[in-house]
Amino acid sequence: MTSLRTPRTTSITRDPRARRRRLGVASAAAGLLATLLAAGPAAATPDPGDAPVQGQVSAEQVADARSAIQSGEIPGVDEIVHSSNIEHLANIPKDALKGTNSDLAFQGKYAFAGNYDGFRIFDISNPKAPKTVAQVLCPGSQNDISVSGDLLFLSTDSSRSDNSCASTSQPASVKESWEGMKIFDISDVANPKYVAAVETACGSHTHTLVPKGKNVYVYVSSYSPSDAFPDCQRPHDGISVIKVPRKAPEKAAVVSFPVLFPGEGPDGGGNPGGPTNPGVSKTTGCHDITVLPEKDLAAGACMGDGILFDIEDPERPRVIDQVQDNVNFAFWHSATFNLKSNKVVFTDELGGGGAATCNAQVGPNRGANGIYDIVGKGKKLDLVFRSYYKIPRHQADTENCVAHNGSLIPVKGKDLMVQAWYQGGVSVWEFTDSAKPKEIAYFERGPLSATTISSGGSWSAYYYNGYIYSNDMAKGFDVLKLSDRRTDPAKRIRMDELNVQTQPDYFDFDD
């Protein structure tokens, strides 16, 4: 497929203070095939966290959005705007897989893009013109994706009739229903082969790889148990650990379920949520985990809690520190270490990714990033809050927008990150001073609609071998080129493989 560019493109550097209008009130909306003609959307998990939505907004919000577009305070519908230091090189729209685009992983000259209907593989050897190598139909939200050697891993977090790629939706209350991890052989990248499946308690919303020699451990994050679900019972206060032999992936199996939030009662430990902490998610598992294999360290974003834990024994992780923010965080979503592993950026997915939270009414501290310093030595570490970061450009009430998936931009001596914000677009920002984060570049599209709110925008935005790659939920796969003296040194860093949640030690920093 040839590279397609949106004709209505503008390079604009706006002073965020110019967006001084109210912009309304936050919306209350909360088989293998190389090619195929069509595919219906996979059923999505209804739980908080990355839940696609579509709904109406009020007449006042519609009027406000239209006024903001007409005055130039926000881009027009589907209009592209960006800072002068970003160039939009390519966009590849959805093709055979019509579902929601999700996460990204990289290996060599290939990008692997998740989709609620399966996954797509791009040849990115020419970033200006990515080419589709394969499309695999295998429905099961959210199809969080990662790669290691000849293996590709895919999360299924919707209850299915069986573990095949021809499965259909089936209630989780049916004992025979299946959710969990799927494993593919990608030694022939153009013809992936489905080789193994492992069922896990409450499915797999996301997963994280911990490579260990001849094996790959998979940390499976899932949540929201129910007494009505035979394979997702309370308490569900830990993670499933799968051991996958690289040479025999068909022998993959769950080897442990470490409890991260011990406690008495049917729901175990962790944040109790409301009514004790109104507006905060009850902790019933983790949403996402990022590991630093070289440091035997991990950070978990676990609904109502943020944790730091030791993974020296990958089958028996041990929590080092646990923090909560019951004022501004609603749903701890993901985590990113800085280069020296003495900071963690946690994201808050206020509204589950389906609400308009990037407006003046919600403010700068909710639906944002929380920056924490890691204080201490060895395994005696504490997380200490320093500040929040949120994009400085207000979005319309028809745009789902909140902090989402991002990665480091590796430059020695600086803490730089690129991050997706759904319809808030892609933000490049610096947190070298933990207390004073600032945006240095951005790319965004205008709202999908000026009259309704529906899921769209960048799910994941990652820096890989000199370019930014973004998987837009609705618009497809984007390639961006960032040219800035602060980030240009990162272009010299070349990776053979990148799964962002298995964070590399780019410069081999000492402890």
Side-chain angles (χ1 to χ4, degrees):
M1 179 177 292
T2 57
S3 169
L4 300 178
R5 297 176 66 107
T6 303
R8 192 179 180 187
T9 302
T10 310
S11 176
I12 300 175
T13 304
R14 287 195 174 106
D15 182 347
R17 291 171 297 180
R19 296 196 179 182
R20 55 189 178 273
R21 301 178 73 250
R22 295 191 327 276
L23 286 179
V25 180
S27 172
L32 303 180
L33 297 177
T35 58
L36 62 150
L37 296 176
T45 175
D47 303 327
D50 315 314
V53 298
Q54 185 167 358
Q56 299 297 316
V57 296
S58 70
E60 179 183 359
Q61 291 167 326
V62 170
D64 197 75
R66 286 173 169 166
S67 176
I69 291 171
Q70 290 171 359
S71 66
E73 293 174 28
I74 65 173
V77 173
D78 285 343
E79 180 185 3
I80 290 177
V81 297
H82 53 83
S83 54
S84 58
N85 52 358
I86 278 186
E87 181 182 357
H88 188 205
L89 296 183
N91 170 260
I92 306 298
K94 293 180 186 179
D95 186 28
L97 306 178
K98 306 299 184 183
T100 299
N101 283 331
S102 57
D103 210 4
L104 293 168
F106 304 89
Q107 188 179 85
K109 65 177 184 179
Y110 300 108
F112 302 81
N115 179 286
Y116 276 46
D117 287 337
F119 63 92
R120 189 174 181 179
I121 304 175
F122 296 99
D123 182 336
I124 54 172
S125 53
N126 180 0
K128 294 182 178 180
K131 297 179 180 178
T132 299
V133 175
Q135 298 186 72
V136 176
L137 175 65
C138 197
S141 68
Q142 40 184 41
N143 279 340
D144 190 51
I145 193 168
S146 55
V147 293
S148 182
D150 289 337
L151 301 179
L152 179 148
F153 301 84
L154 206 63
S155 286
T156 299
D157 193 35
S158 58
S159 187
R160 312 296 297 179
S161 56
D162 55 51
N163 64 12
S164 76
C165 286
S167 68
T168 57
S169 295
Q170 182 167 287
S173 56
V174 178
K175 172 62 178 172
E176 292 74 22
S177 294
W178 185 92
E179 298 180 66
M181 289 297 308
K182 299 186 178 89
I183 305 172
F184 295 77
D185 182 330
I186 54 169
S187 53
D188 180 355
V189 73
N191 294 285
K193 296 179 180 180
Y194 186 10
V195 295
V198 181
E199 186 171 16
T200 55
C202 301
S204 175
H205 196 71
T206 67
H207 68 270
T208 304
L209 303 186
V210 185
K212 285 283 184 178
K214 297 179 180 180
N215 301 306
V216 179
Y217 288 92
V218 185
Y219 286 178
V220 176
S221 296
S222 57
Y223 50 90
S224 293
S226 169
D227 293 340
F229 300 159
D231 298 320
C232 183
Q233 293 281 297
R234 299 184 300 161
H236 183 77
D237 46 14
I239 58 174
S240 297
V241 179
I242 300 173
K243 183 179 181 180
V244 185
R246 290 187 182 275
K247 298 298 184 181
E250 68 280 0
K251 295 181 180 180
V254 175
V255 293
S256 66
F257 187 88
V259 174
L260 302 177
F261 303 97
E264 298 180 359
D267 291 315
N271 199 316
T276 303
N277 297 317
V280 178
S281 293
K282 178 193 300 185
T283 297
T284 60
C286 291
H287 181 278
D288 213 335
I289 292 170
T290 293
V291 299
L292 285 172
E294 291 82 1
K295 306 290 187 185
D296 291 327
L297 195 63
C302 303
M303 304 181 73
D305 296 86
I307 60 173
L308 197 65
F309 55 107
D310 174 10
I311 60 168
E312 185 174 3
D313 182 346
E315 297 184 22
R316 297 170 182 83
R318 180 181 62 86
V319 175
I320 299 171
D321 195 25
Q322 177 180 353
V323 291
Q324 297 178 356
D325 179 346
N326 295 319
V327 175
N328 287 314
F329 262 47
F331 188 93
W332 295 66
H333 176 277
S334 54
T336 303
F337 290 96
N338 70 332
L339 288 173
K340 290 189 175 181
S341 62
N342 59 7
K343 301 177 187 179
V344 182
V345 175
F346 288 103
T347 67
D348 172 29
E349 196 183 43
L350 174 68
T357 71
C358 297
N359 52 26
Q361 179 70 19
V362 174
N365 296 336
R366 299 177 65 225
N369 297 319
I371 303 166
Y372 286 75
D373 285 352
I374 301 175
V375 178
K377 293 183 178 180
K379 297 299 172 65
K380 294 182 178 180
L381 303 173
D382 296 309
L383 292 164
V384 180
F385 173 77
R386 294 303 187 201
S387 66
Y388 298 105
Y389 170 76
K390 193 171 184 178
I391 56 173
R393 299 171 311 285
H394 289 154
Q395 307 295 307
D397 283 332
T398 59
E399 294 181 277
N400 63 306
C401 176
V402 75
H404 214 238
N405 293 349
S407 78
L408 293 182
I409 300 176
V411 176
K412 269 191 175 181
K414 294 188 178 294
D415 295 324
L416 300 163
M417 187 170 174
V418 58
Q419 187 175 9
W421 289 78
Y422 289 124
Q423 287 192 66
V426 174
S427 175
V428 179
W429 61 288
E430 180 174 358
F431 60 105
T432 306
D433 183 341
S434 301
K436 297 180 180 180
K438 58 184 179 181
E439 184 173 75
I440 62 175
Y442 71 90
F443 168 91
E444 68 168 288
R445 290 181 170 88
L448 287 172
S449 169
T451 59
T452 61
I453 184 167
S454 58
S455 294
S458 180
W459 178 291
S460 298
Y462 298 147
Y463 188 91
Y464 178 69
N465 291 352
Y467 296 89
I468 293 170
Y469 298 91
S470 167
N471 212 18
D472 188 294
M473 298 167 71
K475 295 298 182 179
F477 183 73
D478 288 305
V479 185
L480 308 175
K481 182 179 179 180
L482 175 64
S483 300
D484 189 286
R485 59 177 176 78
R486 292 163 289 191
T487 61
D488 285 347
K491 295 177 181 179
R492 297 193 292 267
I493 305 300
R494 311 301 291 181
M495 306 294 296
D496 296 325
E497 189 173 275
L498 180 63
N499 301 293
V500 168
Q501 288 73 33
T502 306
Q503 198 169 309
D505 190 353
Y506 290 97
F507 298 107
D508 192 27
F509 283 110
D510 294 329
D511 291 331

